[in-house]
């Protein structure tokens, strides 16, 4: 279904509808501050497998991000980070960045893999932040795109719905998305290495 939600002031009942879907193991497409994302509750293994199937990727090798509402979830899924890393993340987030951090033992258990890292996202978008807050835990996220290209339809929720309506449970229409992905920053060696330059400019926060 296509569910319209106001991105400025998300309606509680509409968000509750998304939460019920996620808790039931559903898969949703939602807006972020960059491209639209496909996601599910990180604790719903079958939903995770569905997302992998939609994207045509192997769950054990997939580089998913966790969408969090703030930095309080870090210790649940990552090993302790340096004060310098924390300060940069606190300044840069919410924003168009994915920070790659060392995963603690909870992440491999969730994904039945040997994953040693996890991407942390806190998008500057009221809809997905409200979903995560109400859900009470992060949602797994991967970008809506066609092969490795970001093309025009990925910014338009109506066209995303046309393409994915038989694959996901809800497509949230929260306005036009961006066609530029997040900037991926690897922090695992104690430094800040840009793995992909996207919308975010990290130098602004160093």
């Amino acid at each position: 279904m296509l569910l319209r939600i106001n991105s400025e002031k998300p309606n509680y009942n509409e968000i509750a509808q998304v939460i019920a879907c996620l808790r039931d193991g559903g898969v949703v497409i939602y807006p972020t501050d960059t491209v639209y994302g496909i996601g599910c509750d990180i604790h719903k293994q079958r939903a995770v497998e569905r997302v992998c199937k939609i994207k045509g990727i192997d769950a054990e090798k997939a580089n998913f991000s966790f969408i969090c509402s703030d930095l309080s979830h870090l210790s649940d899924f990552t090993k302790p980070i340096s004060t310098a890393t924390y300060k940069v993340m606190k300044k840069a987030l919410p924003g168009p960045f994915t920070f790659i951090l060392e995963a603690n033992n909870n992440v491999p258990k969730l994904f039945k893999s040997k994953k040693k890292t996890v991407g942390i996202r806190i998008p500057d978008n009221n809809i997905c932040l409200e979903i995560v807050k109400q859900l009470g835990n992060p949602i797994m996220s991967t970008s809506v795109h066609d092969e490795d290209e970001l093309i025009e339809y990925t910014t338009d929720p109506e066209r995303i719905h046309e393409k994915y309506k038989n694959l996901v449970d809800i497509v949230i229409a929260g306005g036009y998305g961006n066609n530029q992905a997040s900037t991926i920053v690897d922090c695992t060696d104690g430094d800040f290495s840009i793995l992909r330059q996207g919308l975010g400019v990290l130098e602004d926060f160093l």
Side-chain angles (χ1 to χ4, degrees), residues 72-89:
S72 65
H73 285 296
L74 276 186
S75 58
D76 295 337
F77 304 105
T78 71
K79 291 182 178 176
I81 62 173
S82 70
T83 304
T85 301
Y86 184 82
K87 281 182 177 174
V88 169
M89 290 180 71

Side-chain angles (χ1 to χ4, degrees), residues 39-176:
C40 63
D41 186 328
I42 55 172
H43 298 296
K44 302 293 182 185
Q45 184 65 33
R46 283 193 179 170
V48 170
E49 287 165 8
R50 269 181 71 193
V51 174
C52 291
K53 196 171 177 186
I54 291 167
K55 289 292 292 271
I57 47 183
D58 182 338
E60 288 193 15
K61 297 172 186 166
N63 292 314
F64 293 124
S65 300
F66 284 7
I67 290 201
C68 305
S69 56
D70 56 46
L71 293 174
S72 65
H73 285 296
L74 276 186
S75 58
D76 295 337
F77 304 105
T78 71
K79 291 182 178 176
I81 62 173
S82 70
T83 304
T85 301
Y86 184 82
K87 281 182 177 174
V88 169
M89 290 180 71
K90 197 162 175 59
K91 279 194 279 187
L93 300 172
F97 296 94
T98 302
F99 287 93
I100 307 296
L101 303 171
E102 282 190 83
N104 64 20
N105 291 333
N106 290 332
V107 174
K109 285 177 196 162
L110 283 174
F111 294 112
K112 297 183 178 171
S113 70
K114 296 174 180 165
K115 286 200 74 61
K116 293 186 167 61
T117 61
V118 61
I120 299 294
R121 276 273 278 136
I122 305 178
D124 188 12
N125 179 280
N126 293 332
I127 294 172
C128 63
L129 292 182
E130 199 56 39
I131 290 169
V132 175
K133 279 180 200 164
Q134 300 295 339
L135 185 64
N137 58 256
I139 51 178
M140 191 195 80
S141 181
T142 179
S143 298
V144 169
H145 64 58
D146 211 9
E147 279 77 50
D148 288 326
E149 290 183 54
L150 292 165
I151 55 175
E152 188 189 348
Y153 87 82
T154 60
T155 66
D156 182 348
E158 305 263 354
R159 295 176 72 180
I160 292 171
H161 179 250
E162 280 173 32
K163 183 175 172 75
Y164 287 96
K165 62 186 175 187
N166 296 322
L167 299 172
V168 304
D169 301 290
I170 296 175
V171 175
I172 297 170
Y176 275 87

